[in-house]
Amino acid sequence: MLARMLPFSLEGVWAAATPAILQRRWVPTAPALTEHYFLVIAKNSDGTLDGFIRNPESNWGASIGTRTLVVTGTAIALLASGDRNLDGLVNADGTVTLHKISASGNDLTFHRATGSDLRWFYPLSADRWSYREPEEAGDGWRVGTLRDEGMREAPIATVMNSIAALRAPELRSPYIQSMSVARHGRLVLDQYFYGFSAGEPHDVRSAGKSVTTLMVGRAISDTNAFSPSSTVLSLLPGYLPVKHDDSRKAQITVADLMTMSSGLACDDNDDASPGNEDTMQNQPIGTDWYRYTLDLPMAYDPGTRAIYCTAGINLLGAVVETTTGIPLDRYFRDRFAVPMNFGTYAMWLMPPPSNAAYMGGGDFIRPRDFLKFAQLILDGGRWRDRQIVDRNWIDLSILPRSAPEGEGDRYGYGWHLSSVEVDGRSYDVVNAGGNGGQLAIAVPALSVAIMVTAGNYGQYPVWRNFLPQIVTAVVRSCR
């Protein structure tokens, strides 16, 4: 074997770290965040080597996959059929450098993972979980124990121990990074894995879409300038005229955008769709994403077919900012983040010329802060002594209104609606869901709110199972 030319074996776990690129607007100030990378090398029964990369923060290695590792002298390469090789070197000091592999496209130099590094590789330092009452953090949550709120520990421990037991993770292993639970408005579980902590904001991806529709509801109350039945073009006259104009485009309503039923040629599950989120975001510098969305051709009559369309949800940001006259990031801060006692968070801004907050997802928010949005569902739009969103808007938001194709559940105004059967009884579930396993869940029948964050980005077959598994455990805990 060529690998034997090296004075040591490459098998095992290698670690690297680099400062994260912070491309969002942070409030109040950007924290110092780090991206962690792990190169995992294993020997097959025939003596060949395989390698894959895990990255807790963005799961960058998922797009690389598991590859054959070939060693030629001190040169190494991760090979995959039909894709470019990942090349590197084994250095004289016993480290390994891979070229242009980080999220920023830089070289990364890996060293043998130390105990400190492995805090970000293993779920917990031990392979068993022990329950602890959540800490008081001055963020508005009342804290208590599971027992205080009539919950049993054993069903939740089953889930937690299955996470903690992952001592030899694979590329497609479940990657749950936090789980928080509140019952009757009291935080009773706040557990973090893979080095994450309560004070660290997490990428919530498309779970932020549900927050967008809450902002729409608040803007309706604040302005009395529009309603769900208002037509979008009548609210955005500054974008007229639009391309591909026909009578159907003039009929698109705010409700159509909130239910993914605009009829625009916008399908995130079709790479060839002109309104696909990636296609929109990869337009030339200087493209106004609002105008790009409004200029899309029509594919269906509005309100007749629901297709998952991030661009349409993002366009609601233009409605909120135009009707309120307040920049979206400031509107969110003043109407939501401040009265709901948020800690540090970040909003992703669209590129010039708009520079407005992107309402399709991708904000960074602390898990126990994002959990508060599920609590709003349970408490009729109220957070502690503040009415954040009108109760009637919450009721309207969680009525089934569409069923986006390929999503597997119903949809209200930006909220996923489903049911979970536990021991012969069905429980209605409301959730804000995001790529990778970001889930803010409300189970109204039990007055339970759940927040899950995870790193299975681009791995829907893995993270789609989180909601039924976790809800089932929490329901059983309440019985």
Side-chain angles (χ1 to χ4, degrees):
M1 289 292 296
L2 291 173
R4 291 175 185 163
M5 296 174 63
L6 298 174
F8 54 85
S9 170
L10 288 173
E11 292 175 72
V13 181
W14 299 74
T18 185
I21 299 174
L22 304 179
Q23 295 178 319
R24 288 158 173 81
R25 177 168 293 172
W26 289 85
V27 180
T29 57
L33 297 180
T34 300
E35 289 268 346
H36 300 82
Y37 296 85
F38 295 95
L39 173 61
V40 184
I41 300 175
K43 181 178 288 187
N44 300 310
S45 58
D46 62 0
T48 60
L49 298 175
D50 282 343
F52 66 86
I53 295 171
R54 290 205 94 181
N55 163 224
E57 292 79 17
S58 58
N59 201 18
W60 187 82
S63 63
I64 297 175
T66 300
R67 297 188 172 206
T68 299
L69 190 146
V70 175
V71 182
T72 306
T74 59
I76 65 172
L78 290 165
L79 311 180
S81 177
D83 204 346
R84 72 175 181 87
N85 297 343
L86 298 180
D87 298 317
L89 293 170
V90 177
N91 302 306
D93 62 358
T95 60
V96 173
T97 297
L98 291 178
H99 301 312
K100 301 184 183 305
I101 71 156
S102 73
S104 61
N106 296 325
D107 294 355
L108 282 181
T109 296
F110 292 81
H111 58 266
R112 287 283 183 186
T114 65
S116 177
D117 296 320
L118 293 174
R119 173 172 173 253
W120 291 90
F121 183 73
Y122 293 122
L124 296 172
S125 58
D127 61 2
R128 297 286 295 177
W129 170 79
S130 297
Y131 174 68
R132 284 194 233 173
E133 179 180 351
E135 294 182 3
E136 172 66 52
D139 57 1
W141 279 113
R142 293 181 295 115
V143 301
T145 66
L146 292 167
R147 180 176 294 182
D148 289 340
E149 299 305 324
M151 300 178 70
R152 296 184 298 121
E153 182 180 320
I156 291 176
T158 299
V159 172
M160 294 300 189
N161 282 323
S162 70
I163 298 170
L166 282 173
R167 312 315 287 177
E170 299 176 356
L171 185 62
R172 300 182 68 83
S173 296
Y175 216 172
I176 293 176
Q177 294 165 340
S178 78
M179 179 173 159
S180 303
V181 177
R183 191 174 196 203
H184 304 134
R186 186 188 298 270
L187 188 67
V188 294
L189 178 70
D190 196 35
Q191 178 66 57
Y192 298 84
F193 302 97
Y194 297 104
F196 289 85
S197 63
E200 185 172 348
H202 197 283
D203 188 351
V204 297
R205 297 292 175 102
S206 284
K209 289 179 169 66
S210 304
V211 178
T212 299
T213 60
L214 292 178
M215 292 174 66
V216 171
R218 180 59 188 257
I220 289 173
S221 298
D222 284 349
T223 66
N224 292 313
F226 69 106
S227 72
S229 62
S230 298
T231 57
V232 175
L233 287 180
S234 71
L235 298 172
L236 303 175
Y239 286 92
L240 296 173
V242 293
K243 295 179 181 178
H244 301 292
D245 195 13
D246 64 34
S247 59
R248 294 181 298 173
K249 188 172 287 190
Q251 295 167 10
I252 299 172
T253 66
V254 172
D256 291 332
L257 295 181
M258 291 191 292
T259 58
M260 307 278 191
S261 305
S262 69
L264 291 167
C266 175
D267 184 349
D268 286 355
N269 296 315
D270 179 4
D271 291 341
S273 172
N276 179 282
E277 182 181 23
D278 290 340
T279 301
M280 177 181 70
Q281 293 181 5
N282 288 324
Q283 291 302 302
I285 294 173
T287 300
D288 184 325
W289 293 359
Y290 291 149
R291 182 172 294 283
Y292 182 84
T293 304
L294 289 168
D295 283 345
L296 291 170
M298 295 294 295
Y300 313 102
D301 292 340
T304 62
R305 190 171 175 183
I307 308 290
Y308 197 90
C309 171
T310 297
I313 293 289
N314 180 56
L315 186 56
L316 292 166
V319 172
V320 172
E321 187 164 307
T322 300
T323 56
T324 64
I326 302 172
L328 291 170
D329 56 331
R330 184 154 62 87
Y331 193 73
F332 176 79
R333 181 196 67 192
D334 294 345
R335 302 308 197 271
F336 293 87
V338 171
M340 294 173 70
N341 308 105
F342 272 36
T344 298
Y345 68 93
M347 301 191 80
W348 183 27
L349 303 187
M350 291 182 286
S354 68
N355 291 310
Y358 183 61
M359 291 286 99
D363 297 328
F364 278 65
I365 297 175
R366 299 188 314 164
R368 58 191 282 163
D369 282 341
F370 205 85
L371 177 66
K372 297 169 185 176
F373 292 118
Q375 193 65 43
L376 290 184
I377 296 296
L378 298 176
D379 290 345
R382 194 171 185 84
W383 171 249
R384 298 297 174 245
D385 61 344
R386 303 288 294 272
Q387 194 71 40
I388 305 300
V389 181
D390 187 78
R391 173 181 288 275
N392 183 58
W393 185 255
I394 298 295
D395 294 339
L396 292 173
S397 296
I398 61 177
L399 288 175
R401 298 177 181 277
S402 68
E405 297 175 14
E407 293 300 302
D409 52 21
R410 296 156 292 167
Y411 207 60
Y413 284 162
W415 289 85
H416 296 270
L417 310 171
S418 61
S419 60
V420 174
E421 186 167 313
V422 182
D423 302 328
R425 179 178 172 183
S426 182
Y427 293 84
D428 290 335
V429 175
V430 180
N431 87 90
N435 185 10
Q438 325 318 315
L439 300 164
I441 302 165
V443 186
L446 298 173
S447 190
V448 164
I450 307 166
M451 182 68 200
V452 178
T453 63
N456 290 104
Y457 303 111
Q459 297 177 331
Y460 179 68
V462 178
W463 68 263
R464 70 179 177 182
N465 298 314
F466 294 169
L467 186 146
Q469 291 171 353
I470 290 171
V471 168
T472 296
V474 173
V475 167
R476 286 177 174 159
S477 174
C478 292
R479 302 171 69 188

